């Protein structure tokens, strides 16, 4: 099973800040990584698929990158509505696996 | 518009079974692999499994393979999740998923 390790577990941020979230796979998964955003009480929303493709309607301040084992989600200009938990998902090998999440909070 | 609507959740006693459904619309259901994901209260996301277009290939996360069964009815545009021998650890929101799209989820509570 491919283990996805997200870092940091939580992060205190400020509005307007640039935020970088990381996800590391225990083995190569190519570009088969998605990023999801979950706000309290809501279902997860897909932000990025295939490591770097923005889903329909996702603001361009969200950027995904990476290949193989190391992946990054960057929020270029943090907004209040971005306070959420972010999960990475690998689908390069069965079983698909999620990271444990990174929680973004306000300083 | 792609829509995935889960149903069949609720309160179930430990040891019992439950079958969830996911009604799909807005796309050609026959053309897509479909899957299930769950999230226990206050916890992270867990991939349950997936089924291919003609049901000839079904993959599960190993820890759930003997308890859960995924199936589909392409004529009815519906995905199913049969859950057996339920325990408190199965209390969660269950999401139906397609490539790029998820449903809103259905809550399953296992309790006496």
């Amino acid at each position: 099973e491919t283990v996805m390790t997200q870092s940091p577990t939580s992060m205190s941020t400020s509005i307007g800040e640039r935020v970088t979230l990381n996800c590391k796979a225990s083995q190569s998964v190519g570009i088969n990584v998605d990023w999801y955003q979950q706000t309290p009480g809501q279902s997860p929303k897909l932000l990025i698929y295939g490591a770097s493709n923005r889903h329909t309607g996702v603001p361009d301040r969200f950027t995904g990158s990476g290949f193989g084992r190391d992946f990054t989600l960057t929020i270029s200009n943090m907004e209040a509505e971005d306070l959420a938990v972010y999960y990475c998902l690998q689908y390069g090998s069965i079983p698909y696996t999620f990271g444990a999440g990174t929680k973004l909070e306000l300083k | 518009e792609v829509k995935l609507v889960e149903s069949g959740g609720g309160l179930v006693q430990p040891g019992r079974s439950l079958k969830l459904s996911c009604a799909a619309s807005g796309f050609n259901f026959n053309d897509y692999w479909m899957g299930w994901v769950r999230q226990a209260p206050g916890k992270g996301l867990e991939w349950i499994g997936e089924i291919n277009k003609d049901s000839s290939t079904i993959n599960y996360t190993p820890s759930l393979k003997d308890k859960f069964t995924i199936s589909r009815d392409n004529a009815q545009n519906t995905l199913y999740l049969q859950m057996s021998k339920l325990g408190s650890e199965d209390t969660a929101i269950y999401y139906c998923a397609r490539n790029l799209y998820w449903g809103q989820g259905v809550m399953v509570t296992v309790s006496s």
Side-chain angles (χ1 to χ4, degrees):
Chain A
E1 173 174 316
T2 301
V3 176
M4 301 296 281
T5 301
Q6 287 191 244
S7 61
T9 303
S10 63
M11 177 186 287
S12 294
T13 70
S14 301
I15 302 305
E17 194 173 303
R18 179 184 179 90
V19 173
T20 299
L21 310 180
N22 301 293
C23 189
K24 188 175 188 72
S26 61
Q27 60 186 314
S28 177
V29 294
I31 59 167
N32 297 306
V33 167
D34 293 347
W35 288 93
Y36 289 83
Q37 176 195 63
Q38 188 175 33
T39 52
Q42 300 296 314
S43 63
K45 294 181 181 177
L46 177 66
L47 297 175
I48 301 290
Y49 64 93
S52 61
N53 302 285
R54 220 173 278 118
H55 188 38
T56 305
V58 174
D60 59 9
R61 64 180 180 274
F62 290 95
T63 302
S65 63
F67 174 83
R69 295 182 60 200
D70 292 294
F71 300 88
T72 299
L73 176 68
T74 301
I75 308 172
S76 61
N77 189 359
M78 184 74 184
E79 296 193 8
E81 65 186 29
D82 302 334
L83 295 173
V85 179
Y86 293 81
Y87 296 95
C88 59
L89 163 70
Q90 73 78 21
Y91 47 97
S93 65
I94 300 292
Y96 302 164
T97 46
F98 290 90
T102 293
K103 185 175 184 179
L104 294 188
E105 301 169 308
L106 267 184
K107 277 182 184 171
Chain B
E1 178 194 7
V2 173
K3 284 191 74 176
L4 300 170
V5 180
E6 302 91 342
S7 62
L11 178 64
V12 59
Q13 293 180 326
R16 303 297 292 264
S17 299
L18 192 67
K19 188 171 186 176
L20 304 182
S21 300
C22 171
S25 61
F27 64 100
N28 192 345
F29 185 71
N30 296 12
D31 286 344
Y32 288 87
W33 288 62
M34 299 293 298
W36 291 94
V37 175
R38 71 179 182 178
Q39 185 172 36
K43 301 297 184 183
L45 299 166
E46 181 179 26
W47 183 76
I48 295 171
E50 63 178 2
I51 185 169
N52 74 339
K53 303 172 191 179
D54 64 3
S55 305
S56 60
T57 299
I58 308 174
N59 297 311
Y60 298 94
T61 199
S63 62
L64 299 176
K65 185 174 182 178
D66 294 333
K67 287 181 53 167
F68 289 4
T69 302
I70 297 173
S71 61
R72 65 191 294 165
D73 183 339
N74 286 346
Q76 298 293 323
N77 292 341
T78 303
L79 176 72
Y80 300 102
L81 179 66
Q82 176 71 51
M83 304 183 290
S84 63
K85 303 173 188 174
L86 288 165
S88 58
E89 69 278 7
D90 300 312
T91 293
I93 297 173
Y94 286 76
Y95 297 100
C96 165
R98 193 212 86 170
N99 179 36
L100 305 184
Y101 294 92
W102 289 29
Q104 285 300 303
V106 63
M107 185 70 202
V108 173
T109 302
V110 183
S111 176
S112 55

